[in-house]
């Protein structure tokens, strides 16, 4: 029997933003009024957040996370999420599409996402604050060399950001075959979901049957949950 899928709203980085890029320092209380962040939704971009002040509770793929002051927070494109509550927040936010990242950065984020919020050491936090402030300052300037400098500065910030999570990323055990398949399936969805809608197309790429793909569900909280519903009849 085919299961009815639930359409999760997709927020896109509008053309109004500079070429797949947005950066700001703001209160998240203002953001939720504008973006409807308290309703479950997805993004079509990478979302990096440095919470300078305040506290935030957020739900990601149906799991609750608490962010404290000076936390780092990352959302992979198409992760379902919503803000549950927040208090007296100030945060740096960077939203970018794939073209703003280096290939190895994209690969690494694909491999280690989803990520739990993390509070970096003081020296690393200082570097991150200086780096994103430099991005914001360059963004205010005009000219072709400033544009190149901005892309380089953004890549530097993202590298510093990822580095903090690499030290904390430590899977507790080797994934089972079904978990490994579910993880690879998740990555394929993120790359191809617009063009490929049928589970059979993904099963063929993974060299398994559609029925087996349908049975392969992530069973650990550190593996990403599937973001589309599938059925053996598809």
């Amino acid at each position: 029997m085919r299961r009815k899928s639930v359409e999760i709203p997709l927020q896109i980085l509008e053309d109004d933003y500079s070429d797949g890029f947005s950066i700001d320092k703001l209160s998240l209380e203002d953001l939720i009024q504008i973006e409807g962040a308290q309703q479950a939704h997805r993004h079509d971009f990478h979302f990096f957040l440095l919470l300078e002040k305040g506290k935030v509770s957020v739900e990601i793929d149906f799991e609750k996370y608490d962010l404290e002051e000076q936390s780092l927070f990352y959302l992979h494109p198409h992760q379902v999420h919503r803000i549950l509550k927040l208090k007296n927040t100030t945060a740096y936010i960077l939203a970018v599409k794939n073209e703003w990242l280096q290939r190895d950065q994209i690969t690494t984020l694909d491999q280690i996402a989803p990520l739990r919020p993390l509070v970096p050491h003081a020296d690393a936090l200082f570097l991150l604050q200086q780096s994103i402030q430099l991005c914001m300052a360059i963004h205010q300037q005009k000219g072709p060399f400033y544009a190149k400098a901005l892309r380089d500065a953004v890549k530097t910030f993202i590298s510093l950001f990822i580095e903090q999570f690499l030290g904390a990323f430590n899977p507790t055990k080797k994934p089972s075959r079904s978990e490994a398949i579910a993880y690879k399936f998740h990555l394929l969805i993120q790359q191809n979901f617009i063009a490929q809608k049928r589970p059979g197309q993904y099963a063929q790429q993974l060299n398994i049957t559609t029925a087996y793909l349908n049975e392969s569900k992530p069973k650990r909280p550190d593996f990403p949950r599937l973001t589309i519903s599938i059925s053996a009849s598809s």
Side-chain angles (χ1 to χ4, degrees):
M1 182 177 180
R2 186 182 297 271
R3 289 179 293 176
K4 184 178 180 180
S5 60
V6 178
E7 187 68 24
I8 303 295
L10 177 67
Q11 290 187 0
I12 63 174
L13 209 53
E14 300 285 355
D15 293 338
D16 293 344
Y17 293 111
S18 177
D19 195 23
F21 165 89
S22 176
I23 191 169
D24 207 348
K25 181 180 182 181
L26 46 72
S27 164
L28 296 180
E29 283 86 349
D30 294 335
L31 182 66
I32 64 173
Q33 298 299 324
I34 300 171
E35 302 289 346
Q38 290 181 302
Q39 304 300 317
H41 63 283
R42 302 168 292 147
H43 297 154
D44 72 338
F45 50 86
H46 299 267
F47 182 89
F48 302 86
L49 182 144
L50 194 167
L51 183 63
E52 189 173 67
K53 296 179 182 179
K55 294 183 178 181
V56 179
S57 293
V58 63
E59 186 180 82
I60 309 170
D61 290 339
F62 313 107
E63 289 192 40
K64 182 175 177 288
Y65 299 91
D66 294 314
L67 284 71
E68 58 183 281
E69 196 167 284
Q70 300 181 342
S71 290
L72 303 180
F73 174 62
Y74 168 75
L75 280 172
H76 195 274
H78 306 290
Q79 279 189 281
V80 179
H81 62 280
R82 64 189 179 107
I83 292 177
L84 299 176
K85 61 180 179 180
L86 40 76
K87 182 178 180 181
N88 301 327
T89 61
T90 303
Y92 293 97
I93 291 177
L94 172 67
V96 289
K97 292 195 172 182
N98 275 352
E99 53 264 34
W100 282 81
L101 284 76
Q102 297 174 170
R103 175 57 56 184
D104 61 338
Q105 292 175 329
I106 295 172
T107 300
T108 300
L109 289 170
D110 283 347
Q111 291 173 343
I112 67 176
L115 295 171
R116 296 178 178 276
L118 176 150
V119 178
H121 294 299
D123 55 347
L125 177 65
F126 177 77
L127 279 176
L128 285 160
Q129 289 173 324
Q130 294 295 305
S131 179
I132 198 165
Q133 287 169 9
L134 177 61
C135 292
M136 294 180 68
I138 296 174
H139 183 47
Q140 299 302 315
Q141 308 302 317
K142 304 297 181 182
F145 286 97
Y146 281 121
K148 182 180 184 304
L150 177 60
R151 287 184 176 269
D152 290 341
V154 167
K155 289 183 176 72
T156 298
F157 171 77
I158 292 172
S159 290
L160 294 172
F161 195 102
I162 292 173
E163 192 66 38
Q164 305 310 306
F165 287 93
L166 287 179
F169 180 69
N170 184 24
T172 57
K173 64 176 182 177
K174 183 178 179 180
S176 67
R177 173 169 166 75
S178 63
E179 289 174 329
I181 288 173
Y183 185 84
K184 292 177 182 178
F185 176 44
H186 175 88
L187 295 183
L188 288 172
I189 289 172
Q190 311 312 328
Q191 297 165 8
N192 305 304
F193 81 101
I194 295 177
Q196 298 181 2
K197 303 292 188 181
R198 298 175 64 84
Q201 295 172 299
Y202 296 99
Q204 185 175 15
Q205 293 177 67
L206 293 168
N207 296 314
I208 59 176
T209 65
T210 304
Y212 188 78
L213 174 59
N214 194 48
E215 295 172 359
S216 298
K217 304 283 188 178
K219 297 179 176 62
R220 288 164 41 199
D222 55 329
F223 270 76
R225 298 175 184 269
L226 309 185
T227 54
I228 65 172
S229 61
I230 60 177
S231 66
S233 62
S234 296

